[in-house]
Amino acid sequence: MKYIVGIGGVTNGGKTTLTNSLLKVLPNCCVIHQDDFFKPQDQIAVGEDGFKQWDVLESLDMEAMLSTVKAWVSNPQKFAHAHGVNVQLDTSDTHILILEGFLLYNYKPLVDLYSRRYFLAVPYEECKWRRSTRSYEVPDPPGLFDGHVWPMYQKYKQELEADGVEVAFL
């Protein structure tokens, strides 16, 4: 059996923490982090809000991400070995792929591939506080969270709801 599990949701909502915990207990489990598919900084547009548009789908190479997912689908055992995952012989017929990221359910070619979709949400104040405690390769300029990050989260969450994408909210 092959399972593709999406762990999506708001920035700093606990997606990576949950993913890392699951990796420790699930057999034959691989992960693909959406953050690994950001385009280079010089390819990120500046929006009307004056901020680099990191929190939009166009900032990600989603075709490359989809290609990586398809590589796992075609041969999960080979993919696992290539990514340093030891395949457990007693469960070698079960393979799990976790996709972790903030815009997993807004890229239509991926939507139907999931066995399960989960969406982590935290309240605005908690999210803003968590974001302020993180260090990013490209530091957040003042006002980015309120002027861009949170509005983009709300926009994409509303889009997936409007598109009828079924997710389990956690």
Side-chain angles (χ1 to χ4, degrees), residues 17-129:
T17 301
L18 175 58
T19 297
N20 290 338
S21 295
L22 291 171
L23 279 173
K24 293 176 185 175
V25 298
L26 294 174
N28 306 332
C29 185
C30 296
V31 65
I32 296 174
H33 298 278
Q34 192 174 41
D35 283 356
D36 292 340
F37 295 90
F38 274 110
K39 293 177 181 175
Q41 184 174 348
D42 64 350
Q43 293 181 23
I44 306 299
V46 175
E48 293 176 11
D49 57 13
F51 296 111
K52 285 248 185 193
Q53 303 295 292
W54 291 103
D55 293 271
V56 299
L57 205 53
E58 294 76 22
S59 69
L60 297 153
D61 186 347
M62 293 303 295
E63 290 179 13
M65 185 174 179
L66 179 61
S67 177
T68 305
V69 171
K70 287 181 177 180
W72 179 87
V73 168
S74 70
N75 192 333
Q77 198 161 15
K78 181 179 178 181
F79 187 95
H81 287 300
H83 290 86
V85 175
N86 292 322
V87 175
Q88 296 178 12
L89 297 178
D90 59 333
T91 59
S92 62
D93 62 335
T94 300
H95 295 276
I96 302 166
L97 177 63
I98 297 174
L99 300 184
E100 180 267 327
F102 67 109
L103 291 175
L104 294 180
Y105 311 126
N106 299 88
Y107 185 65
K108 303 221 183 317
L110 277 179
V111 170
D112 292 331
L113 297 179
Y114 298 102
S115 307
R116 298 280 186 273
R117 296 182 209 97
Y118 298 96
F119 191 97
L120 279 65
V122 295
Y124 165 85
E125 289 297 333
E126 176 71 14
C127 187
K128 186 173 182 175
W129 176 79

